[in-house]
mmCIF file with all atom_site columns, all heavy atoms in Angstrom:
data_model
loop_
_atom_site.group_PDB
_atom_site.id
_atom_site.type_symbol
_atom_site.label_atom_id
_atom_site.label_alt_id
_atom_site.label_comp_id
_atom_site.label_asym_id
_atom_site.label_entity_id
_atom_site.label_seq_id
_atom_site.pdbx_PDB_ins_code
_atom_site.Cartn_x
_atom_site.Cartn_y
_atom_site.Cartn_z
_atom_site.occupancy
_atom_site.B_iso_or_equiv
_atom_site.pdbx_formal_charge
_atom_site.auth_seq_id
_atom_site.auth_comp_id
_atom_site.auth_asym_id
_atom_site.auth_atom_id
_atom_site.pdbx_PDB_model_num
ATOM 1   N N   . LEU O 1 69  ? -15.240 12.546 4.060   1.00 97.00 ? 351 LEU O N   1
ATOM 2   C CA  . LEU O 1 69  ? -15.005 13.536 3.028   1.00 97.00 ? 351 LEU O CA  1
ATOM 3   C C   . LEU O 1 69  ? -15.070 12.873 1.661   1.00 97.00 ? 351 LEU O C   1
ATOM 4   O O   . LEU O 1 69  ? -15.484 13.467 0.664   1.00 97.00 ? 351 LEU O O   1
ATOM 5   C CB  . LEU O 1 69  ? -13.567 14.022 3.230   1.00 97.00 ? 351 LEU O CB  1
ATOM 6   C CG  . LEU O 1 69  ? -13.369 15.182 4.324   1.00 97.00 ? 351 LEU O CG  1
ATOM 7   C CD1 . LEU O 1 69  ? -11.899 15.382 4.456   1.00 97.00 ? 351 LEU O CD1 1
ATOM 8   C CD2 . LEU O 1 69  ? -14.133 16.435 3.841   1.00 97.00 ? 351 LEU O CD2 1
ATOM 9   N N   . TRP O 1 70  ? -14.505 11.708 1.582   1.00 98.00 ? 352 TRP O N   1
ATOM 10  C CA  . TRP O 1 70  ? -14.449 10.954 0.263   1.00 98.00 ? 352 TRP O CA  1
ATOM 11  C C   . TRP O 1 70  ? -15.859 10.506 -0.030  1.00 98.00 ? 352 TRP O C   1
ATOM 12  O O   . TRP O 1 70  ? -16.243 10.573 -1.274  1.00 98.00 ? 352 TRP O O   1
ATOM 13  C CB  . TRP O 1 70  ? -13.454 9.847  0.409   1.00 98.00 ? 352 TRP O CB  1
ATOM 14  C CG  . TRP O 1 70  ? -12.070 10.258 0.283   1.00 98.00 ? 352 TRP O CG  1
ATOM 15  C CD1 . TRP O 1 70  ? -11.313 10.370 -0.854  1.00 98.00 ? 352 TRP O CD1 1
ATOM 16  C CD2 . TRP O 1 70  ? -11.239 10.754 1.378   1.00 98.00 ? 352 TRP O CD2 1
ATOM 17  N NE1 . TRP O 1 70  ? -10.004 10.851 -0.540  1.00 98.00 ? 352 TRP O NE1 1
ATOM 18  C CE2 . TRP O 1 70  ? -9.946  11.079 0.772   1.00 98.00 ? 352 TRP O CE2 1
ATOM 19  C CE3 . TRP O 1 70  ? -11.440 10.946 2.727   1.00 98.00 ? 352 TRP O CE3 1
ATOM 20  C CZ2 . TRP O 1 70  ? -8.917  11.531 1.565   1.00 98.00 ? 352 TRP O CZ2 1
ATOM 21  C CZ3 . TRP O 1 70  ? -10.436 11.416 3.507   1.00 98.00 ? 352 TRP O CZ3 1
ATOM 22  C CH2 . TRP O 1 70  ? -9.203  11.707 2.945   1.00 98.00 ? 352 TRP O CH2 1
ATOM 23  N N   . THR O 1 71  ? -16.594 9.997  0.955   1.00 98.00 ? 353 THR O N   1
ATOM 24  C CA  . THR O 1 71  ? -17.963 9.565  0.649   1.00 98.00 ? 353 THR O CA  1
ATOM 25  C C   . THR O 1 71  ? -18.784 10.661 0.063   1.00 98.00 ? 353 THR O C   1
ATOM 26  O O   . THR O 1 71  ? -19.549 10.427 -0.937  1.00 98.00 ? 353 THR O O   1
ATOM 27  C CB  . THR O 1 71  ? -18.595 9.036  1.909   1.00 98.00 ? 353 THR O CB  1
ATOM 28  O OG1 . THR O 1 71  ? -17.680 8.184  2.603   1.00 98.00 ? 353 THR O OG1 1
ATOM 29  C CG2 . THR O 1 71  ? -19.904 8.211  1.673   1.00 98.00 ? 353 THR O CG2 1
ATOM 30  N N   . GLU O 1 72  ? -18.643 11.854 0.603   1.00 97.00 ? 354 GLU O N   1
ATOM 31  C CA  . GLU O 1 72  ? -19.355 13.040 0.143   1.00 97.00 ? 354 GLU O CA  1
ATOM 32  C C   . GLU O 1 72  ? -18.939 13.401 -1.273  1.00 97.00 ? 354 GLU O C   1
ATOM 33  O O   . GLU O 1 72  ? -19.746 13.713 -2.109  1.00 97.00 ? 354 GLU O O   1
ATOM 34  C CB  . GLU O 1 72  ? -19.063 14.219 1.087   1.00 97.00 ? 354 GLU O CB  1
ATOM 35  C CG  . GLU O 1 72  ? -19.825 14.101 2.417   1.00 97.00 ? 354 GLU O CG  1
ATOM 36  C CD  . GLU O 1 72  ? -21.346 13.906 2.297   1.00 97.00 ? 354 GLU O CD  1
ATOM 37  O OE1 . GLU O 1 72  ? -21.973 14.594 1.478   1.00 97.00 ? 354 GLU O OE1 1
ATOM 38  O OE2 . GLU O 1 72  ? -21.887 13.046 2.974   1.00 97.00 ? 354 GLU O OE2 1
ATOM 39  N N   . GLN O 1 73  ? -17.660 13.315 -1.512  1.00 98.00 ? 355 GLN O N   1
ATOM 40  C CA  . GLN O 1 73  ? -17.148 13.610 -2.826  1.00 98.00 ? 355 GLN O CA  1
ATOM 41  C C   . GLN O 1 73  ? -17.788 12.625 -3.842  1.00 98.00 ? 355 GLN O C   1
ATOM 42  O O   . GLN O 1 73  ? -18.132 12.970 -4.933  1.00 98.00 ? 355 GLN O O   1
ATOM 43  C CB  . GLN O 1 73  ? -15.605 13.508 -2.834  1.00 98.00 ? 355 GLN O CB  1
ATOM 44  C CG  . GLN O 1 73  ? -14.946 13.911 -4.145  1.00 98.00 ? 355 GLN O CG  1
ATOM 45  C CD  . GLN O 1 73  ? -13.453 14.122 -4.076  1.00 98.00 ? 355 GLN O CD  1
ATOM 46  O OE1 . GLN O 1 73  ? -12.978 14.380 -2.923  1.00 98.00 ? 355 GLN O OE1 1
ATOM 47  N NE2 . GLN O 1 73  ? -12.810 14.137 -5.145  1.00 98.00 ? 355 GLN O NE2 1
ATOM 48  N N   . GLY O 1 74  ? -17.837 11.377 -3.459  1.00 98.00 ? 356 GLY O N   1
ATOM 49  C CA  . GLY O 1 74  ? -18.386 10.332 -4.353  1.00 98.00 ? 356 GLY O CA  1
ATOM 50  C C   . GLY O 1 74  ? -19.821 10.622 -4.620  1.00 98.00 ? 356 GLY O C   1
ATOM 51  O O   . GLY O 1 74  ? -20.289 10.447 -5.771  1.00 98.00 ? 356 GLY O O   1
ATOM 52  N N   . LYS O 1 75  ? -20.519 11.020 -3.542  1.00 98.00 ? 357 LYS O N   1
ATOM 53  C CA  . LYS O 1 75  ? -21.984 11.281 -3.724  1.00 98.00 ? 357 LYS O CA  1
ATOM 54  C C   . LYS O 1 75  ? -22.201 12.446 -4.684  1.00 98.00 ? 357 LYS O C   1
ATOM 55  O O   . LYS O 1 75  ? -23.098 12.392 -5.529  1.00 98.00 ? 357 LYS O O   1
ATOM 56  C CB  . LYS O 1 75  ? -22.602 11.675 -2.338  1.00 98.00 ? 357 LYS O CB  1
ATOM 57  C CG  . LYS O 1 75  ? -24.064 11.783 -2.332  1.00 98.00 ? 357 LYS O CG  1
ATOM 58  C CD  . LYS O 1 75  ? -24.582 12.121 -0.933  1.00 98.00 ? 357 LYS O CD  1
ATOM 59  C CE  . LYS O 1 75  ? -26.115 12.339 -0.952  1.00 98.00 ? 357 LYS O CE  1
ATOM 60  N NZ  . LYS O 1 75  ? -26.576 12.777 0.295   1.00 98.00 ? 357 LYS O NZ  1
ATOM 61  N N   . ALA O 1 76  ? -21.373 13.463 -4.615  1.00 98.00 ? 358 ALA O N   1
ATOM 62  C CA  . ALA O 1 76  ? -21.437 14.565 -5.524  1.00 98.00 ? 358 ALA O CA  1
ATOM 63  C C   . ALA O 1 76  ? -21.114 14.155 -6.977  1.00 98.00 ? 358 ALA O C   1
ATOM 64  O O   . ALA O 1 76  ? -21.780 14.593 -7.907  1.00 98.00 ? 358 ALA O O   1
ATOM 65  C CB  . ALA O 1 76  ? -20.525 15.713 -5.108  1.00 98.00 ? 358 ALA O CB  1
ATOM 66  N N   . LEU O 1 77  ? -20.139 13.291 -7.103  1.00 98.00 ? 359 LEU O N   1
ATOM 67  C CA  . LEU O 1 77  ? -19.791 12.786 -8.416  1.00 98.00 ? 359 LEU O CA  1
ATOM 68  C C   . LEU O 1 77  ? -20.880 12.013 -9.094  1.00 98.00 ? 359 LEU O C   1
ATOM 69  O O   . LEU O 1 77  ? -20.996 12.017 -10.307 1.00 98.00 ? 359 LEU O O   1
ATOM 70  C CB  . LEU O 1 77  ? -18.470 11.902 -8.354  1.00 98.00 ? 359 LEU O CB  1
ATOM 71  C CG  . LEU O 1 77  ? -17.157 12.602 -8.243  1.00 98.00 ? 359 LEU O CG  1
ATOM 72  C CD1 . LEU O 1 77  ? -16.097 11.573 -8.010  1.00 98.00 ? 359 LEU O CD1 1
ATOM 73  C CD2 . LEU O 1 77  ? -16.863 13.385 -9.513  1.00 98.00 ? 359 LEU O CD2 1
ATOM 74  N N   . TRP O 1 78  ? -21.656 11.311 -8.327  1.00 98.00 ? 360 TRP O N   1
ATOM 75  C CA  . TRP O 1 78  ? -22.721 10.482 -8.798  1.00 98.00 ? 360 TRP O CA  1
ATOM 76  C C   . TRP O 1 78  ? -23.716 11.305 -9.768  1.00 98.00 ? 360 TRP O C   1
ATOM 77  O O   . TRP O 1 78  ? -24.055 10.743 -10.807 1.00 98.00 ? 360 TRP O O   1
ATOM 78  C CB  . TRP O 1 78  ? -23.579 9.877  -7.706  1.00 98.00 ? 360 TRP O CB  1
ATOM 79  C CG  . TRP O 1 78  ? -24.716 8.968  -8.119  1.00 98.00 ? 360 TRP O CG  1
ATOM 80  C CD1 . TRP O 1 78  ? -25.995 9.272  -8.180  1.00 98.00 ? 360 TRP O CD1 1
ATOM 81  C CD2 . TRP O 1 78  ? -24.553 7.609  -8.557  1.00 98.00 ? 360 TRP O CD2 1
ATOM 82  N NE1 . TRP O 1 78  ? -26.757 8.238  -8.672  1.00 98.00 ? 360 TRP O NE1 1
ATOM 83  C CE2 . TRP O 1 78  ? -25.840 7.153  -8.912  1.00 98.00 ? 360 TRP O CE2 1
ATOM 84  C CE3 . TRP O 1 78  ? -23.445 6.757  -8.801  1.00 98.00 ? 360 TRP O CE3 1
ATOM 85  C CZ2 . TRP O 1 78  ? -26.112 5.868  -9.386  1.00 98.00 ? 360 TRP O CZ2 1
ATOM 86  C CZ3 . TRP O 1 78  ? -23.719 5.489  -9.245  1.00 98.00 ? 360 TRP O CZ3 1
ATOM 87  C CH2 . TRP O 1 78  ? -24.975 5.045  -9.571  1.00 98.00 ? 360 TRP O CH2 1
ATOM 88  N N   . SER O 1 79  ? -23.942 12.475 -9.410  1.00 97.00 ? 361 SER O N   1
ATOM 89  C CA  . SER O 1 79  ? -24.949 13.261 -10.220 1.00 97.00 ? 361 SER O CA  1
ATOM 90  C C   . SER O 1 79  ? -24.160 14.372 -11.091 1.00 97.00 ? 361 SER O C   1
ATOM 91  O O   . SER O 1 79  ? -24.829 15.152 -11.686 1.00 97.00 ? 361 SER O O   1
ATOM 92  C CB  . SER O 1 79  ? -25.979 13.850 -9.327  1.00 97.00 ? 361 SER O CB  1
ATOM 93  O OG  . SER O 1 79  ? -25.340 14.666 -8.281  1.00 97.00 ? 361 SER O OG  1
ATOM 94  N N   . ASP O 1 142 ? -8.659  10.794 -5.356  1.00 98.00 ? 424 ASP O N   1
ATOM 95  C CA  . ASP O 1 142 ? -9.828  10.979 -4.438  1.00 98.00 ? 424 ASP O CA  1
ATOM 96  C C   . ASP O 1 142 ? -11.097 10.711 -5.164  1.00 98.00 ? 424 ASP O C   1
ATOM 97  O O   . ASP O 1 142 ? -12.118 10.141 -4.576  1.00 98.00 ? 424 ASP O O   1
ATOM 98  C CB  . ASP O 1 142 ? -9.828  12.462 -3.872  1.00 98.00 ? 424 ASP O CB  1
ATOM 99  C CG  . ASP O 1 142 ? -8.629  12.737 -3.045  1.00 98.00 ? 424 ASP O CG  1
ATOM 100 O OD1 . ASP O 1 142 ? -8.119  11.760 -2.404  1.00 98.00 ? 424 ASP O OD1 1
ATOM 101 O OD2 . ASP O 1 142 ? -8.253  13.942 -2.965  1.00 98.00 ? 424 ASP O OD2 1
ATOM 102 N N   . ASP O 1 143 ? -11.194 11.056 -6.457  1.00 98.00 ? 425 ASP O N   1
ATOM 103 C CA  . ASP O 1 143 ? -12.438 10.789 -7.261  1.00 98.00 ? 425 ASP O CA  1
ATOM 104 C C   . ASP O 1 143 ? -12.796 9.315  -7.352  1.00 98.00 ? 425 ASP O C   1
ATOM 105 O O   . ASP O 1 143 ? -13.923 8.937  -7.041  1.00 98.00 ? 425 ASP O O   1
ATOM 106 C CB  . ASP O 1 143 ? -12.249 11.348 -8.689  1.00 98.00 ? 425 ASP O CB  1
ATOM 107 C CG  . ASP O 1 143 ? -12.350 12.825 -8.747  1.00 98.00 ? 425 ASP O CG  1
ATOM 108 O OD1 . ASP O 1 143 ? -12.971 13.477 -7.767  1.00 98.00 ? 425 ASP O OD1 1
ATOM 109 O OD2 . ASP O 1 143 ? -11.721 13.453 -9.631  1.00 98.00 ? 425 ASP O OD2 1
ATOM 110 N N   . LEU O 1 145 ? -11.613 6.842  -5.403  1.00 98.00 ? 427 LEU O N   1
ATOM 111 C CA  . LEU O 1 145 ? -11.930 6.320  -4.065  1.00 98.00 ? 427 LEU O CA  1
ATOM 112 C C   . LEU O 1 145 ? -13.264 6.780  -3.639  1.00 98.00 ? 427 LEU O C   1
ATOM 113 O O   . LEU O 1 145 ? -14.097 5.958  -3.104  1.00 98.00 ? 427 LEU O O   1
ATOM 114 C CB  . LEU O 1 145 ? -10.766 6.770  -3.121  1.00 98.00 ? 427 LEU O CB  1
ATOM 115 C CG  . LEU O 1 145 ? -9.485  6.120  -3.336  1.00 98.00 ? 427 LEU O CG  1
ATOM 116 C CD1 . LEU O 1 145 ? -8.332  6.945  -2.615  1.00 98.00 ? 427 LEU O CD1 1
ATOM 117 C CD2 . LEU O 1 145 ? -9.457  4.703  -2.745  1.00 98.00 ? 427 LEU O CD2 1
ATOM 118 N N   . GLY O 1 146 ? -13.552 7.976  -3.864  1.00 98.00 ? 428 GLY O N   1
ATOM 119 C CA  . GLY O 1 146 ? -14.848 8.552  -3.473  1.00 98.00 ? 428 GLY O CA  1
ATOM 120 C C   . GLY O 1 146 ? -16.108 7.879  -4.099  1.00 98.00 ? 428 GLY O C   1
ATOM 121 O O   . GLY O 1 146 ? -16.974 7.378  -3.394  1.00 98.00 ? 428 GLY O O   1
ATOM 122 N N   . ILE O 1 147 ? -16.060 7.754  -5.408  1.00 98.00 ? 429 ILE O N   1
ATOM 123 C CA  . ILE O 1 147 ? -17.201 7.109  -6.124  1.00 98.00 ? 429 ILE O CA  1
ATOM 124 C C   . ILE O 1 147 ? -17.275 5.653  -5.736  1.00 98.00 ? 429 ILE O C   1
ATOM 125 O O   . ILE O 1 147 ? -18.364 5.113  -5.609  1.00 98.00 ? 429 ILE O O   1
ATOM 126 C CB  . ILE O 1 147 ? -17.086 7.421  -7.679  1.00 98.00 ? 429 ILE O CB  1
ATOM 127 C CG1 . ILE O 1 147 ? -18.389 6.983  -8.335  1.00 98.00 ? 429 ILE O CG1 1
ATOM 128 C CG2 . ILE O 1 147 ? -15.921 6.707  -8.295  1.00 98.00 ? 429 ILE O CG2 1
ATOM 129 C CD1 . ILE O 1 147 ? -19.548 7.939  -8.123  1.00 98.00 ? 429 ILE O CD1 1
ATOM 130 N N   . THR O 1 148 ? -16.108 5.000  -5.610  1.00 98.00 ? 430 THR O N   1
ATOM 131 C CA  . THR O 1 148 ? -16.185 3.593  -5.271  1.00 98.00 ? 430 THR O CA  1
ATOM 132 C C   . THR O 1 148 ? -16.742 3.389  -3.845  1.00 98.00 ? 430 THR O C   1
ATOM 133 O O   . THR O 1 148 ? -17.544 2.456  -3.572  1.00 98.00 ? 430 THR O O   1
ATOM 134 C CB  . THR O 1 148 ? -14.794 2.934  -5.375  1.00 98.00 ? 430 THR O CB  1
ATOM 135 O OG1 . THR O 1 148 ? -14.163 3.192  -6.592  1.00 98.00 ? 430 THR O OG1 1
ATOM 136 C CG2 . THR O 1 148 ? -14.857 1.426  -5.175  1.00 98.00 ? 430 THR O CG2 1
ATOM 137 N N   . ILE O 1 149 ? -16.321 4.241  -2.915  1.00 98.00 ? 431 ILE O N   1
ATOM 138 C CA  . ILE O 1 149 ? -16.884 4.118  -1.553  1.00 98.00 ? 431 ILE O CA  1
ATOM 139 C C   . ILE O 1 149 ? -18.401 4.345  -1.633  1.00 98.00 ? 431 ILE O C   1
ATOM 140 O O   . ILE O 1 149 ? -19.186 3.641  -1.056  1.00 98.00 ? 431 ILE O O   1
ATOM 141 C CB  . ILE O 1 149 ? -16.195 5.192  -0.611  1.00 98.00 ? 431 ILE O CB  1
ATOM 142 C CG1 . ILE O 1 149 ? -14.783 4.800  -0.348  1.00 98.00 ? 431 ILE O CG1 1
ATOM 143 C CG2 . ILE O 1 149 ? -17.023 5.294  0.637   1.00 98.00 ? 431 ILE O CG2 1
ATOM 144 C CD1 . ILE O 1 149 ? -14.025 5.746  0.495   1.00 98.00 ? 431 ILE O CD1 1
ATOM 145 N N   . TYR O 1 150 ? -18.832 5.382  -2.374  1.00 98.00 ? 432 TYR O N   1
ATOM 146 C CA  . TYR O 1 150 ? -20.220 5.723  -2.420  1.00 98.00 ? 432 TYR O CA  1
ATOM 147 C C   . TYR O 1 150 ? -21.019 4.584  -3.000  1.00 98.00 ? 432 TYR O C   1
ATOM 148 O O   . TYR O 1 150 ? -22.138 4.263  -2.509  1.00 98.00 ? 432 TYR O O   1
ATOM 149 C CB  . TYR O 1 150 ? -20.417 7.031  -3.250  1.00 98.00 ? 432 TYR O CB  1
ATOM 150 C CG  . TYR O 1 150 ? -21.931 7.458  -3.309  1.00 98.00 ? 432 TYR O CG  1
ATOM 151 C CD1 . TYR O 1 150 ? -22.558 7.834  -2.090  1.00 98.00 ? 432 TYR O CD1 1
ATOM 152 C CD2 . TYR O 1 150 ? -22.654 7.455  -4.436  1.00 98.00 ? 432 TYR O CD2 1
ATOM 153 C CE1 . TYR O 1 150 ? -23.883 8.196  -2.135  1.00 98.00 ? 432 TYR O CE1 1
ATOM 154 C CE2 . TYR O 1 150 ? -23.966 7.821  -4.489  1.00 98.00 ? 432 TYR O CE2 1
ATOM 155 C CZ  . TYR O 1 150 ? -24.605 8.223  -3.288  1.00 98.00 ? 432 TYR O CZ  1
ATOM 156 O OH  . TYR O 1 150 ? -25.932 8.599  -3.354  1.00 98.00 ? 432 TYR O OH  1
#
Side-chain angles (χ1 to χ4, degrees):
Chain O
L351 280 173
W352 284 265
T353 316
E354 286 304 315
Q355 184 165 341
K357 188 178 177 186
L359 279 173
W360 181 258
S361 52
D424 293 335
D425 284 335
L427 288 163
I429 190 74
T430 308
I431 290 173
Y432 183 65

